[in-house]
């Protein structure tokens, strides 16, 4: 990853309102809200694939269509989740349950680096 994990840890404060980071063995890395899915190892997985999390239809569709999280798509998703999904699915009616936007690409790349630094290999 190109970002700065320490800087990303600070940006993650904005994500914590809705997201936790909890390892597979239940170690809590960030105790945050439950409105959004657990972000542990998000960079290893298909979009919309956390068991038991109730995603919106569009992100599940994107995952089924092949979206695996990677730095570029993550940064673009964070800038505007609904627009990203609409473009990915080529469907102007796509919706996102994540109302939050992070408009700074450098902050987003730093959060990505942070998530990689605290996640599985
Ligand atoms: C989904 C990252 C802030 C609510 C996601 C996903 C990512 C993400 C990568 C997709 C996860 C997956 O496919 O499993 C982040 C980051 C944030 C942030 C890095 C901070 C910079 C927030 C905030 C909220 C929120 C503040 C609540 C106000 C949600 C919800 C979803 C989601 C509800 C599910 C979206 C859907 O089902 O369409 N987030 N998020 N997120 N996030 Fe966030």
């Amino acid at each position: 990853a190109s970002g700065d994990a320490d800087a990303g840890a600070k940006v993650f404060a904005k994500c914590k309102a809705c997201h936790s980071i909890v390892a597979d063995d239940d170690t809590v890395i960030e105790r945050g809200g439950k409105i959004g899915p657990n972000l542990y190892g998000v960079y290893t997985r298909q979009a919309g694939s956390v068991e038991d999390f109730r995603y919106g239809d569009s992100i599940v569709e994107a995952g089924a269509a092949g979206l695996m999280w990677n730095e570029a798509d993550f940064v673009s998703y964070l800038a505007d989740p609904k627009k990203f999904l609409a473009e990915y699915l080529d469907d102007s009616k796509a919706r996102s349950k994540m109302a939050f936007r992070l408009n700074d690409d450098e902050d987003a790349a730093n959060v990505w680096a942070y998530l990689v630094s605290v996640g599985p290999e």
Side-chain angles (χ1 to χ4, degrees):
S2 60
D4 173 341
D6 291 336
K10 297 196 181 82
V11 178
F12 196 80
K14 295 181 180 176
C15 319
K16 254 177 114 159
C18 302
H19 292 279
S20 293
I21 305 178
V22 181
D24 296 339
D25 66 1
D26 292 335
T27 304
V28 178
I29 297 157
E30 293 271 5
R31 190 179 305 279
K34 293 196 157 72
I35 296 164
N38 179 9
L39 292 180
Y40 182 74
V42 68
Y43 53 91
T44 64
R45 68 192 195 220
Q46 178 178 308
S49 68
V50 170
E51 295 266 333
D52 300 330
F53 183 80
R54 290 177 57 94
Y55 290 98
D57 292 342
S58 299
I59 195 166
V60 173
E61 249 181 76
L67 177 60
M68 295 289 297
W69 286 119
N70 59 75
E71 183 173 344
D73 286 332
F74 176 89
V75 168
S76 158
Y77 174 77
L78 284 177
D80 190 337
K82 183 173 147 61
K83 181 168 169 239
F84 174 82
L85 292 172
E87 285 175 3
Y88 190 84
L89 296 169
D90 194 18
D91 174 3
S92 60
K93 293 199 180 77
R95 301 229 170 176
S96 172
K97 281 176 84 173
M98 178 157 120
F100 174 86
R101 289 188 193 186
L102 187 65
N103 270 313
D104 185 315
D105 286 4
E106 194 181 340
D107 280 357
N110 291 344
V111 179
W112 176 264
Y114 171 60
L115 290 168
V116 170
S117 75
V118 296
E121 280 179 42

